Every structure is written in structure tokens, then in C-alpha cells.
Amino acid sequence: MNLENISIRGQLLYDEPMSRHTSLKVGGAADLYAEPEDADDLLTLVRSLKECQSPWLAIGRGYNLLVRDGGIRGAVISLARFNRISEAGERLIRAEAGVENLALVRFAQERGLGGIGYISGIPGTVGGAVKMNAGAYGSGVLERLESLTLLSGDMVAEYRREELDYGYRRLALPVGAIVLAALFRLVECDPHQTEEEIRKDTELRRSKHNVGFPSAGSFFKNPSGQAAWRLIDQANLRGVTVGGAQVSEVHSNFLINRGGATAADFLGLAEKVKEAVFAATGVQLEEEVRIVGEEP
């Protein structure tokens, strides 16, 4: 079997530019871009890819992803159609990987539950939030996780939080594992309080993060006890460009696409930032954005 013979109920696109599927609007083509309909469809796809001996990469909505200009060999699996949310018991909410972060907060709010309002303003989906242990103001979403449903190999398995290896902005998963759904244990919370959390978070992010151009959000992780944007400012890098990529003048931990940028521009700018910050402060920055794909 080859990639052209694969059949699923969802959508299959061949030689699909990844610039159409990432918030940075850069990236070469994937040999195959697949959107399975549900878990059974995903299993069919993964088994077919194994038969083809094709590599694959699972993504959400591409908010925290930089794809190199050479694109991706094999398949990209999008979980965009995994967007179901349900109640799963007392104070328990189950959200599939493709659910938008704000949609999860709203679903909980309608049921008088909260405790994760800080992810409402983070662009992206539950799958990405879990994999990055996304959070704000010192909290991470995995603190509210009860269990995680993964596709590992061609088996679906559930892992309790205490079985997982995670920390600040990271979650270690088995190689090739795909997050299918997360079960959260939330706390009782007045919907008006949640609404206030959403409002404050939205206003804060609008004032600080409205950079006006395509970006991937915070490009670098905050070193322990420090803010990456402040370190970048100390190195006098605000507004610096490489090709069409620029250190935002609004928020210096946002690298933006001013128009016509390539992945190589972003990679070159990121390296320039890291070198300058290290020279100025002695701190080694680490990318928060996931970098995948091949050089052209």
C-alpha cells in the first residue's frame, strides 16, 4: 500500500502546504494531511500508515508549531474533528483533543465548574494545552487533570495523572503517542466568577499580546524565575528582523510574520535572539514553539 491508496471517512489532502494550517503561516508541504472523523477512523488511518511504513505527526490547530520550509515527509494527522465535550461524573468534564480551550472553559462554566479559567485566552486546543502543560500566572492545566486517553501504537489506553511525567510547560509521552481526550476534575465555581476570569484574561492578553500579525504566541519558555520578554528587551532586540520575521514591538517574546516570512526566517531570528540574550544575560533561552519538518 502507498499513501494514495489510504481511505478514511474523514478528509485526506495530498501535498498540502502547512502554511495553511499553522498560526505562523509558514511551512512547506506535507505529503499527506489527514483529518480523521473519530477514534475508530484514526485507528484505521494509523494502521494504514504502518502498512505503508510511513512516518506521521499529530497536530492540533497549529498554534504552537513551526514547520520548516522543506515540509513534512509522510503524514500529518489533524485532530480538528475531535471536538466533543461531555460531563463524565461529579465535577468531571471530558474533552477531546480538538476542543478549543475557551470552549472547554465555557462548557464548565455553564455547569457551575471552574478552576481552569486561565486557559481561556490561550489560543489552541485541549490536546495542545495538555502536551505543553499550558497555563498562566504560575498554574498549569495538568494540575486539574484526572486522566488522559492516548493512542499509543495501535492501542487506546488511559493514564491517570500520577502515571505521567510532566512539569513546567512539558509532558513526556511515549514516542508516537497521540492525545485523544483529557478528563478534568474541576471545582465548583460561580459562573459570574468564571466570567470575570475570562474577561480579565482576555483584556490582559488583548493589551499585551495583540501583536497584529501572525504569531505562535510566546516563542520562548520563561526561564525559572525570569520572563523571556524582559531578557530579550535587555538584549535590545525588540523590533529586530530577519527576512519577513520580526521580534514584535508590542511583546518581545512574540516572533511575528510581517508578510512573506519563511520558516528559515523564523529559525534565523530565533537563533539570533538566543545568541544575543546569552551574550547579554548569560541565560540560555529555549523554544516553547514546537519545531518540525525538513530543511528544503
Side-chain angles (χ1 to χ4, degrees):
M1 178 186 285
N2 54 42
L3 292 177
E4 289 73 19
N5 298 127
I6 290 176
S7 177
I8 62 173
R9 287 180 283 114
Q11 185 178 42
L12 297 173
L13 300 171
Y14 293 90
D15 296 319
E16 177 68 5
M18 289 303 295
S19 57
R20 298 176 181 173
H21 303 284
T22 63
S23 61
L24 282 170
K25 306 301 180 187
V26 299
D31 293 338
L32 172 63
Y33 184 87
E35 280 191 8
E37 192 66 39
D38 51 31
D40 289 338
D41 210 24
L42 175 60
L43 275 169
T44 298
L45 173 63
V46 169
R47 287 166 179 163
S48 297
L49 291 171
K50 284 187 175 180
E51 190 174 338
C52 296
Q53 297 184 331
S54 171
W56 48 265
L57 170 73
I59 69 169
R61 301 291 175 90
Y63 286 109
N64 200 45
L65 190 67
L66 174 58
V67 180
R68 294 184 179 93
D69 296 314
I72 296 176
R73 304 288 69 79
V76 171
I77 302 173
S78 166
L79 300 180
R81 302 189 185 204
F82 284 62
N83 55 9
R84 304 160 189 88
I85 318 177
S86 60
E87 294 183 77
E90 185 177 359
R91 296 187 288 113
L92 293 171
I93 300 291
R94 185 180 190 272
E96 290 186 336
V99 170
E100 294 281 350
N101 292 328
L102 178 57
L104 171 59
V105 175
R106 289 292 191 196
F107 186 89
Q109 178 190 27
E110 291 168 1
R111 288 151 183 80
L113 299 174
I116 53 172
Y118 51 80
I119 70 166
S120 60
I122 299 176
T125 59
V126 168
V130 165
K131 290 181 72 173
M132 295 297 295
N133 192 15
Y137 325 123
S139 296
V141 72
L142 293 182
E143 294 171 17
R144 296 293 179 187
L145 186 76
E146 185 79 1
S147 64
L148 199 58
T149 304
L150 300 178
L151 174 67
S152 185
D154 57 0
M155 298 287 292
V156 175
E158 189 169 305
Y159 296 82
R160 296 187 64 79
R161 183 182 62 177
E162 52 267 28
E163 298 177 278
L164 301 172
D165 175 14
Y166 68 94
Y168 174 70
R169 301 295 177 265
R170 70 170 186 86
L171 169 64
L173 294 175
V175 176
I178 299 177
V179 175
L180 300 185
L183 182 66
F184 297 99
R185 182 175 293 280
L186 304 180
V187 296
E188 293 183 3
C189 185
D190 188 301
H192 295 292
Q193 180 181 333
T194 300
E195 191 64 34
E196 185 64 13
E197 290 175 357
I198 294 172
R199 185 191 65 79
K200 286 183 177 179
D201 193 58
T202 301
E203 287 183 359
L204 180 65
R205 291 180 185 277
R206 185 181 293 120
S207 64
K208 291 187 175 182
H209 299 174
N210 186 16
V211 295
F213 295 92
S215 79
S218 295
F219 202 91
F220 298 100
K221 295 179 182 179
N222 288 325
S224 179
Q226 301 186 74
W229 72 265
R230 188 171 285 115
L231 295 170
I232 295 169
D233 275 359
Q234 287 175 22
N236 297 313
L237 291 166
R238 191 175 290 244
V240 167
T241 64
V242 170
Q246 181 184 41
V247 177
S248 171
E249 295 180 273
V250 176
H251 191 305
S252 53
N253 196 19
F254 280 47
L255 305 190
I256 59 174
N257 186 343
R258 294 278 306 188
T262 65
D265 291 342
F266 278 104
L267 293 169
L269 182 58
E271 194 59 34
K272 187 173 186 175
V273 168
K274 290 194 292 184
E275 289 176 359
V277 167
F278 185 74
T281 70
V283 177
Q284 183 68 56
L285 289 179
E286 180 183 351
E287 288 88 348
E288 184 168 320
V289 169
R290 185 183 184 194
I291 301 171
V292 300
E294 299 186 354
E295 298 293 345

